[in-house]
Amino acid sequence: MLRGLARLLGERPFPFHIVLGTSAGALNATFLASHAQEGSRALERLAGFWWRLRSAQVYRLNAWRLGPPNLLTAGLTLMWQVRRHRALLDSLPLVDTLHRHLDLPRVEAALADGTLDVLGVTASSYTSGEHWTFFQTARPDCTAWRRPGRRAQAQLIGIDHLLASAAIPFLFPAVPLWVEGHKEYFGDGSMRQLSPLSGAIHLGARQILVIGVGQPQRAGLAAPADATAEPSAGTIAGHALASVFHDTLMADVEQAQRVSRTLAQLPSAVAALLPYRPVQVLALQPSASLDALALKHVHELPAGTRDTLAGLGALETRRAGAGSAAALASYLLFEPGFVHALIRLGEADALQREAQLRAFFDDAAPAAAVP
């Protein structure tokens, strides 16, 4: 979607004052921040990064091979992976990829010269159960905050913050981060994210462009071909992950819009006394099911990953809940066919919203992106 936005905006200064991201969005936000001084070309650079990405640059899974894929070899593979890496996948390739493609000192330079005001990423603490927003800024008015279940703290954003925000539970290991003088272990920021817009609002955004991954209909919720078939372990895992990452984004968007409409209708003297200000929110979501798209590209998974999922029964598309199995596979698909299809879908969806996007960026108020 950002690639489509780049086409609409043309050559101009970096279009966002605040950039926040969660999970893979944390990687996107930080990549954008590191190229913010290049203006709107940063959006195209981000698309180029994903266009060239491969699964081998994100994770490693060394699968046992004892004949055709089966439950025994899949179990041995997963047991070996967990003992060595504290998770089902080895995420060291992602560490190397981020070090090679992110220039974090350029983030600090963009913040120092005013090209960017704030970079923020979110992660969920396994230790305390709280949801944290870590933000880096040169603005003295941005301070830490605390709400029930949600915290924020100013820190220099590093590779560890990105690994923590994108650490899908069970698949990637928990990441230790230091908060308020002690160590806590963190996982994917999309878990228990009750108020995705709160970080941008706390940091002063009055316009927010939201890019989410909510789907018009999850393939896993569609009627299966054989409703009587017993779900496989992979199907159950895919359904469980979909539940863990229950999308609260649009509910938060609707609430922000509703409160903003109410504030706009109040007499100006009354509204000035309240600690709230209207927020303009434009939310972009995929127009097609990403699970269904993933199902078309399952064959592109690396051989070891494909064999392990097949051994678990997660790639049996004729069984009940094939959509949930596709959802599980989609978390692991970083191959060209699937990624390129996602980028083309997002670009087309952005161009379909051309009038709204142009109107949004023609407004002079500070904008925030929440990818």
Side-chain angles (χ1 to χ4, degrees):
M1 286 188 166
L2 289 171
R3 188 185 192 189
L5 179 61
R7 287 181 56 184
L8 295 176
L9 295 181
E11 292 284 338
R12 65 163 69 186
F14 190 67
F16 304 110
H17 296 262
I18 301 168
V19 185
L20 294 98
T22 300
S23 194
L27 278 61
N28 290 340
T30 307
F31 187 99
L32 288 175
S34 70
H35 291 276
Q37 292 173 314
E38 300 175 39
S40 57
R41 283 179 291 176
L43 310 184
E44 184 63 43
R45 282 190 177 275
L46 176 61
F49 165 75
W50 283 99
W51 193 266
R52 294 183 292 272
L53 198 64
R54 302 293 184 272
S55 296
Q57 296 170 274
V58 179
Y59 65 85
R60 185 182 300 115
L61 192 156
N62 296 315
W64 286 57
R65 288 182 178 161
L66 301 172
N70 56 67
L71 188 58
L72 175 61
T73 55
L76 288 172
T77 294
L78 298 183
M79 181 180 68
W80 176 253
Q81 289 284 121
V82 170
R83 290 188 64 179
R84 291 197 66 187
H85 307 294
R86 299 176 290 109
L88 302 182
L89 301 174
D90 176 6
S91 59
L92 279 179
L94 179 58
V95 177
D96 180 62
T97 297
L98 294 178
H99 276 292
R100 285 189 291 107
H101 289 277
L102 292 178
D103 189 350
L104 295 180
R106 292 184 66 189
V107 174
E108 193 166 359
L111 293 168
D113 69 11
T115 301
L116 181 69
D117 286 345
V118 185
L119 165 65
V121 302
T122 60
S124 182
S125 173
Y126 291 121
T127 305
S128 66
E130 292 187 300
H131 191 269
W132 283 78
T133 297
F134 301 100
F135 61 93
Q136 182 176 343
T137 181
R139 280 172 41 187
D141 61 316
C142 292
T143 57
W145 69 86
R146 183 169 189 171
R147 296 290 184 273
R150 294 179 283 124
R151 311 258 330 246
Q153 186 176 89
Q155 292 191 7
L156 287 176
I157 302 300
I159 298 298
D160 285 351
H161 292 89
L162 307 185
L163 294 173
S165 183
I168 299 173
F170 308 116
L171 299 183
F172 293 102
V175 179
L177 296 175
W178 285 87
V179 292
E180 298 183 337
H182 67 279
K183 183 167 62 176
E184 294 189 12
Y185 284 86
F186 287 82
D188 198 295
S190 296
M191 297 186 293
R192 307 180 68 167
Q193 190 176 30
L194 302 179
S195 301
L197 303 187
S198 65
I201 294 172
H202 273 288
L203 292 168
R206 295 294 172 260
Q207 281 183 278
I208 305 176
L209 175 66
V210 180
I211 302 178
V213 292
Q215 304 181 45
Q217 179 185 33
R218 291 202 68 91
L221 300 180
D226 181 5
T228 63
E230 182 180 358
S232 67
T235 297
I236 294 171
H239 184 74
L241 282 175
S243 300
V244 167
F245 294 133
H246 177 65
D247 193 355
T248 60
L249 180 60
M250 291 312 296
D252 203 29
V253 168
E254 289 177 4
Q255 179 173 318
Q257 292 172 336
R258 184 167 56 250
V259 171
S260 295
R261 285 194 299 268
T262 301
L263 290 171
Q265 293 170 0
L266 293 175
S268 57
V270 175
L273 298 175
L274 298 175
Y276 307 107
R277 296 293 179 269
V279 177
Q280 179 188 357
V281 182
L282 176 59
L284 304 177
Q285 299 272 79
S287 61
S289 168
L290 305 188
D291 291 350
L293 190 62
L295 203 58
K296 297 178 182 178
H297 295 275
V298 162
H299 63 280
E300 295 182 27
L301 284 166
T305 304
R306 190 172 61 247
D307 288 350
T308 301
L309 292 179
L312 293 173
L315 299 186
E316 180 50 76
T317 58
R318 292 171 297 176
R319 301 180 67 171
S324 292
L328 175 62
S330 73
Y331 292 112
L332 306 174
L333 264 171
F334 297 92
E335 297 301 318
F338 181 59
V339 173
H340 294 180
L342 286 176
I343 292 175
R344 285 191 290 266
L345 173 65
E347 185 174 9
D349 285 346
L351 296 178
Q352 285 291 323
R353 306 284 293 275
E354 178 177 357
Q356 290 173 291
L357 285 167
R358 288 192 183 279
F360 182 89
F361 283 95
D362 283 343
D363 197 309
V370 185

